[in-house]
Amino acid sequence: RRSMCMLLFASWSAASFDPPCSCFSMCTTREANEFFSILPASCESVTSPWYGYVQAVYGPTVPLPFDLHSLEYWWHNNEEW
C-alpha cells in the first residue's frame, strides 16, 4: 500500500483557484508534526487560505470561525483518492 504523502489546500474550484496554495508532506511523524506546528487554530474568514480547503471538504456553507485543531483526518487531493 502506498503512503498518502501530499496535502494540497487552496480554492479547489477551477473558477476560483488563485495561488498561493501550499503542499505539505505528511508521510512521517516529523513531517506531520511540522504541518500541525504551522496550522492556525481556526479559519476566521473567507479570505483565509484555509477557507477553500474547508469548503472543498465540508461544503459551500462553512460556519466561521472553523476550528482547524478539531480535525482528525485530512483530505489528500491526489490520484489515489
Side-chain angles (χ1 to χ4, degrees), residues 3-70:
S3 315
M4 303 298 166
C5 294
M6 299 307 292
L7 167 69
L8 176 66
F9 76 91
S11 298
W12 294 101
S13 70
S16 65
F17 183 78
D18 185 25
C21 63
S22 298
C23 296
F24 299 91
S25 175
M26 293 176 42
C27 294
T28 67
T29 301
R30 182 185 59 78
E31 291 170 340
N33 287 335
E34 287 174 7
F35 171 78
F36 288 112
S37 75
I38 64 166
L39 183 68
S42 64
C43 174
E44 299 286 332
S45 74
V46 298
T47 60
S48 167
W50 289 97
Y51 189 71
Y53 172 83
V54 174
Q55 274 192 307
V57 176
Y58 296 100
T61 55
V62 177
L64 296 175
F66 187 90
D67 182 7
L68 295 170
H69 285 184
S70 69

